[in-house]
Amino acid sequence: MSAFLDFGSDAVLLAGLTGDNWRLKDYVARGGYESLKKILSERIAPEQILAEIKLSVLRGRGGAGFPTGMKWGFMPRGAPEKYVICNADEGEPGTFKDRDILRFNPHAVIEGMVIAAYVMGCARGYNYIHGEIWEVYERCEEAVDEARAAGFIGSRILGSDFSFELFNHHGFGAYICGEETALLESIEGKKGQSRYKPPFPANVGLYGKPTTVNNVETFACVPLIVKNGGQWFLELGRPNAGGTKIFSVSGDVERPGNYELRMGAPFAKLLEMAGGVRDGRKLKAVIPGGSSSPVVPGAVMMETDLDYDSIAKAGSMMGSGAVIVMDETRCMVRCLARLSEFYHDESCGQCTPCREGTGWLSRMMHRIEHGEGRPGDIEALDRIAHDIMGRTICAMGDAAAMPVRSFIKHFRDEFEYHIEHRRCQVADYV
Amino acid sequence: MSENAIDKSGWLNLEINGKPVQMPPGSTVMDAAQTLKVFIPHFCYHKKLSIAASCRMCLVQVEKIPKPVPACATPVSEGMKVWTRSEMALAAQQSVMEFLLINHPLDCPVCDQGGECMLQDAAVGYGKGSSQFQEVKRVVLGKDLGPLVSAVEMSRCIQCTRCVRFSDEIGGQMELGMIRRGDRAEIVPFVGETVESELSGNMIDLCPVGALTSKPFRYQARNWELSRRKSVSPHDALGANLIVQLKRNQVVRVQPFENEAINECWLSDRDRFSYEALNSESRLMRPLVKKDGVLIETDWQEALPLAAARLKNIVERDGGEALGVLISPHATLEEATLMSRLAWTLGCDNIDYRLRQQDFSNTSKDAHVPWLGMPIADVSQLKAALFIGSFLRQDQPLLTARVRQAARHGAAISSLHSVRADWHLPLAHENVVPPSQLAAALAALVVAAHREAKVAQALPKVFDEVTPLENDVAIVRSLMNAPERTTIFLGSFAQQHEHAVLLHALTQRLADYTGTTLAVLPEAANSVGLALINAQPQKGGLNARTMLEKPRKAYVLLHTEAPFDIAQGGTALTALRQADFVLSLSPFRPADEGVLPDVVLPDIVLPIAPFTETSGTFINMEGRVQSFYGVAPPLGETRPGWQVIVALARLLEQPFAETTPEVVRASCLPSADSIAARLSNRIDTALQALPKAAAKETVERVAGVPIYHADPLVRRAPSLQRTALAAPPRVMMNAALATRLNLVKGGAVRIRQSEENDAVTVVLSWVCDETLPADTVRFDMAHPLTAGFDVCGEFHLEAAP
């Protein structure tokens, strides 16, 4: 397959994947399903596995970075009907790591889900796959069939008294369905709209039953933690962020793609792996964690390490690890106009600040970009974004607002130039 | 309940704006604020609907939470401190207000909601004077939601989804939804559909803006021009409380008067929109007297003495028993009492209000007044219920909403009927049998209950050949397994059935064996009241059926419209046609000629006031006495019914002492103790033999009373008449029967009730309905097309050319 399947020398999750060795036999040859076999044959107590997960400081890879062990610990013990769900609705612009994990190593996710189901006592799981990556859905269907035929899922798995059924479910491409409660609504056959929390899914989730939703990459880490121990995983990364992280690098780089690095590796290293800024241009800005995370000026980013705390210090978020690189020829007004249009299009329309605010932002940005900006627009943009933030049902409102505020904060001069001169400051480059 | 009576152990202490309050666990900050009478602005929140938390107007500040939280969805906790007017809360509320208004048309001067608009009020209270919004506003196209709810100005919608949640949760059928995303989201009905719910008008009340408005009321008046008076709905036996609103002494709108014990904050559409009949063309302004076969307007000075003289003549000539008095169960207690007394003083005991009843063989229950058997509010709390022969949704729309609430909370609701239940609620079990088999099916339940309850005493011989099936056992178990609050309801179809008394007696036995309450669903606004004042034969007189089957010389109709209100429509027409004299007391002109073949015109019609123009009293299904005053002056020369009867009595030299509404009421109203003592559904009549199955290939008829043809008022309400529920009845039957009758798809059926040449013939279109039992046809009664038939008897159906 692709010649670009060089995920870096730190790769653990993506190590040795060629694109052709995704089948069950290949996974087993790489040592796959050993963790599951060990758990079921040695009857390892769920509490013991949970302790290892907690020790590993595995944090959710979908964007929020919530400690996985703690999340699993929220699931009520006695409840008769519980669900474990894999969030493969990877819709954040710039993010494409889950697609490759499922494409190249689907069984790692399946094994991770079965172990999670064992720990939390779930009899059913769903893998909710983004609607715009159909071939991945088909691959997951094949992989689940393989796993079922081999007895890794189904009733009485590997002769134990543990049973677990897993189903793939594909969405239709709505960004909001990546929000875990909207995802639950979607599985239930309803319109994808997030639910107000509390109650949290751990108490009232799918069909009103306790439910845990984790990201694809999170599940993929689980078999490795069980196999090599929580301490091993923790030591791969930093004290507050165990393991490795897959970064989807896109934008103005020579070799866009997924790269796996240890948590805490410097951004400069990632940029180097991606072949540096395209055509040797100057780095202007980086969105380090997917389109909803605040933009960071290039110079700051070059001094930043890639882990939750370091990126937060630089004024942004690790998010899903989607690194969007922008060089000096990029018009930041145009970039923000495009992002605002995306959030306007994807707002579910349920709650007022997001429904009305995203449309307002998008229309204003469109106007400014097209040379119809007015004095006061910048302040208005910032205020509208401020008024959306923290007042919506789900994080989508914040996701729409954060780029606006950060773009204005760091590149205000470009916006002012656009409004004053009715054209683009960097247009000469393009 | 007094404050001390509530056990507050386990309640949580919190503070709102510094004021302490105790709330039970599970309450929200909004509940707590309402307890303290602290107003928090809101749009999507409604106490009767599920929480959406989507409008974000109720954002408040809570200690230790960095972001403002919605009061409607935030549960209270111990020691919580809430501020509703802090800087953080106000900033959040102001910004939400601005967001709500950017795409709102701000067309208040031409908006029907202006002056009673939550958005307008909140904008004044919580908004800023201006907005920086300078973009183009969104436009949303209007929708057709049918003749009652206007959705022309959907650009005004703020997507609170109250209407959507109402239709799903209260109406039972999701007739509206929100499609598309973001600021392109809009409220729509299903493609090509309108809103057909019988509770749809509540969406108008719920809509916090001017997106959904009342079609009949549009542009009639401004809210501040209206005077508001309390009244009671004259339709079903719930007795919903109304706020009747008038402009220049004319009723222009009806809204609910909130009464948690009765109608909560809802009204059915007929409660709400039937007022249109009050101002309609068909209102009678002056008395009518028949001259040369034509009704001529005249004055009271001529009509009243003439009516008295003709009654007197007949009584003197043929005796009091030559009279028949048919009182509508929608008449007030005062009117019916005075009319009954007048009849008795004339020596007439042929008095009845049970116009749609057929089986009068109950020998025991004259002293017993059938009723709901419990408070209306308890229906929402049912854990299990069985409805026998009930057209629940069309007979008791708001009670159905309560049953729906019970079902939503897990109550096992079952139905035994001759049609499938269409109540828009999940049914646990259902049994559909031909009308003639209803008693046998009920007997099977009795036998099942006898076994399940392990009753020691053997069953009577009547049950010897009855074998319960699996479904029967399941129904009985669903009643017996519920820990409490289980009830068996006798619906209108069971009460109006040819074997009503047998059905009642069997139900009694079923209730006894299963340990459940027995409830009767009274038909009309004052059915319970008229039973309590004995508006029925007291000394062996003729009942509603026999006084028509044995034609009288004269009839007096009080609010009764023949044949629409009478089960024996055909018999009634014949009886009235042969009578020497028919006196009608009614607010309306008689049904138009030509509507019915050979309509019978009364000889004299005296215009009496409808419920809005007279004082009166209704006693509802739970035995609650609800008196009301006239809210409008009588139209034209109309007079309150009680005054007319008093005047008639005086002319008949039988003067009553009553002269004022208060005195009349005092003399008519039974005491609270006597009401309580007489309300009972017990029946002591011995069990009759179970009826034999109908002969093979005999066609049996099922008929309900269509919701918008049930009484004279709704029949004349133009907007209600334009709804889908008021459509002319169609004949429904299964395909096997249609094939046997050689009917073709899309064709029509000719119906006759006898083989005689002069028999009434009606042609109706027919539709296939596979849910009906074999050899059973359904076509409803009370409609001009079908009212001329007796409800039962033989029917001859054939394909119409």
Side-chain angles (χ1 to χ4, degrees), chain B residues 482-530:
Chain B
E484 48 171 1
R485 294 186 186 278
T486 58
T487 302
I488 306 176
F489 292 84
L490 267 181
S492 61
F493 186 66
Q495 294 171 57
Q496 294 163 10
H497 198 277
E498 285 177 296
H499 312 132
V501 175
L502 174 60
L503 292 174
H504 192 154
L506 287 167
T507 308
Q508 170 84 66
R509 200 167 275 262
L510 180 61
D512 288 347
Y513 289 162
T514 53
T516 55
T517 331
L518 171 55
V520 173
L521 294 171
E523 176 194 340
N526 212 11
S527 296
V528 172
L530 299 201

Side-chain angles (χ1 to χ4, degrees), chain B residues 82-99:
Chain B
V82 180
W83 295 276
T84 68
R85 302 284 292 166
S86 66
E87 204 178 319
M88 183 203 266
L90 282 179
Q93 290 161 12
Q94 277 188 353
S95 67
V96 170
M97 199 63 236
E98 184 181 15
F99 283 132

Side-chain angles (χ1 to χ4, degrees), chain A residues 282-358:
Chain A
K282 233 176 102 191
L283 178 68
K284 182 179 196 172
V286 176
I287 299 177
S291 64
S292 59
S293 60
V295 68
V296 178
V300 177
M301 203 62 210
M302 287 304 282
E303 304 299 317
T304 301
D305 290 345
L306 298 173
D307 64 81
Y308 298 98
D309 299 341
S310 305
I311 299 179
K313 217 189 237 169
S316 190
M317 295 155 50
M318 165 75 97
S320 58
V323 177
I324 303 171
V325 177
M326 289 171 274
D327 71 20
E328 56 192 328
T329 65
R330 291 291 153 195
C331 169
M332 300 312 272
V333 175
R334 184 156 192 217
C335 288
L336 182 60
R338 184 64 192 87
L339 285 178
S340 296
E341 190 189 333
F342 173 80
Y343 286 105
H344 176 207
D345 187 47
E346 295 289 353
S347 168
C348 82
Q350 187 183 196
C351 70
T352 308
C354 177
R355 177 183 68 238
E356 306 295 343
T358 54

Side-chain angles (χ1 to χ4, degrees), chain A residues 142-159:
Chain A
E142 275 192 73
V144 163
D145 287 345
E146 283 184 334
R148 189 178 287 122
F152 293 122
I153 49 180
S155 68
R156 307 186 66 83
I157 295 172
L158 302 174

Side-chain angles (χ1 to χ4, degrees), chain A residues 35-55:
Chain A
S35 300
L36 180 63
K37 283 181 195 158
K38 187 173 163 203
I39 289 169
L40 294 179
S41 61
E42 296 177 14
R43 294 166 178 263
I44 299 175
E47 295 75 24
Q48 200 180 325
I49 305 168
L50 188 60
E52 286 299 313
I53 302 285
K54 282 182 175 165
L55 175 64

Side-chain angles (χ1 to χ4, degrees), chain B residues 373-654:
Chain B
M374 62 180 136
I376 290 168
D378 283 7
V379 173
S380 310
Q381 314 292 327
L382 286 171
K383 295 283 182 273
L386 168 63
F387 287 82
I388 294 167
S390 176
F391 289 102
L392 190 61
R393 194 162 65 92
Q394 67 195 51
D395 290 345
Q396 326 277 355
L398 281 179
L399 196 74
T400 312
R402 288 203 185 256
V403 177
R404 208 170 278 138
Q405 293 316 303
R408 279 175 72 86
H409 292 116
I413 310 293
S414 304
S415 165
L416 168 62
H417 200 350
S418 293
V419 298
R420 280 278 282 278
D422 61 346
W423 308 336
H424 301 159
L425 55 86
L427 281 186
H429 306 284
E430 184 163 28
N431 194 7
V432 181
V433 297
S436 61
Q437 293 307 295
L438 214 47
L442 195 45
L445 290 174
V446 174
V447 174
H450 184 265
R451 268 185 218 162
E452 289 291 312
K454 302 191 171 61
V455 180
Q457 197 185 4
L459 279 166
K461 275 184 115 49
V462 178
F463 297 99
D464 279 358
E465 284 170 27
V466 179
T467 319
L469 302 174
E470 211 173 302
N471 195 34
D472 299 317
V473 177
I475 291 174
V476 164
R477 283 188 182 153
S478 75
L479 291 172
M480 294 177 66
N481 290 345
E484 48 171 1
R485 294 186 186 278
T486 58
T487 302
I488 306 176
F489 292 84
L490 267 181
S492 61
F493 186 66
Q495 294 171 57
Q496 294 163 10
H497 198 277
E498 285 177 296
H499 312 132
V501 175
L502 174 60
L503 292 174
H504 192 154
L506 287 167
T507 308
Q508 170 84 66
R509 200 167 275 262
L510 180 61
D512 288 347
Y513 289 162
T514 53
T516 55
T517 331
L518 171 55
V520 173
L521 294 171
E523 176 194 340
N526 212 11
S527 296
V528 172
L530 299 201
L532 280 164
I533 57 127
N534 303 319
Q536 61 197 55
Q538 295 301 301
K539 295 165 243 153
L542 302 176
N543 59 45
R545 180 174 184 165
T546 44
M547 76 174 91
L548 294 167
E549 285 174 347
K550 299 176 183 160
R552 305 288 96 192
K553 290 272 192 288
Y555 289 94
V556 179
L557 311 175
L558 176 59
H559 282 292
T560 300
E561 238 180 330
F564 306 96
D565 294 332
I566 298 169
Q568 311 300 111
T571 311
L573 283 176
T574 311
L576 293 172
R577 205 175 291 141
Q578 64 74 46
D580 292 345
F581 178 57
V582 177
L583 171 64
S584 167
L585 285 73
S586 165
F588 298 105
R589 300 180 165 280
D592 288 343
E593 278 182 87
V595 171
L596 267 180
D598 266 345
V599 75
V600 182
L601 293 178
D603 295 280
I604 297 180
V605 192
L606 302 177
I608 58 169
F611 77 108
T612 44
E613 297 166 20
T614 177
S615 58
T617 302
F618 294 141
I619 301 181
N620 76 359
M621 58 169 78
E622 62 177 4
R624 181 186 294 252
V625 178
Q626 300 200 100
S627 292
F628 51 87
Y629 288 102
V631 297
L635 192 70
E637 291 181 19
T638 300
R639 292 292 171 264
W642 68 267
Q643 280 184 6
V644 173
I645 300 165
V646 167
L648 201 57
R650 194 179 306 123
L651 290 168
L652 286 164
E653 290 146 32
Q654 308 285 350

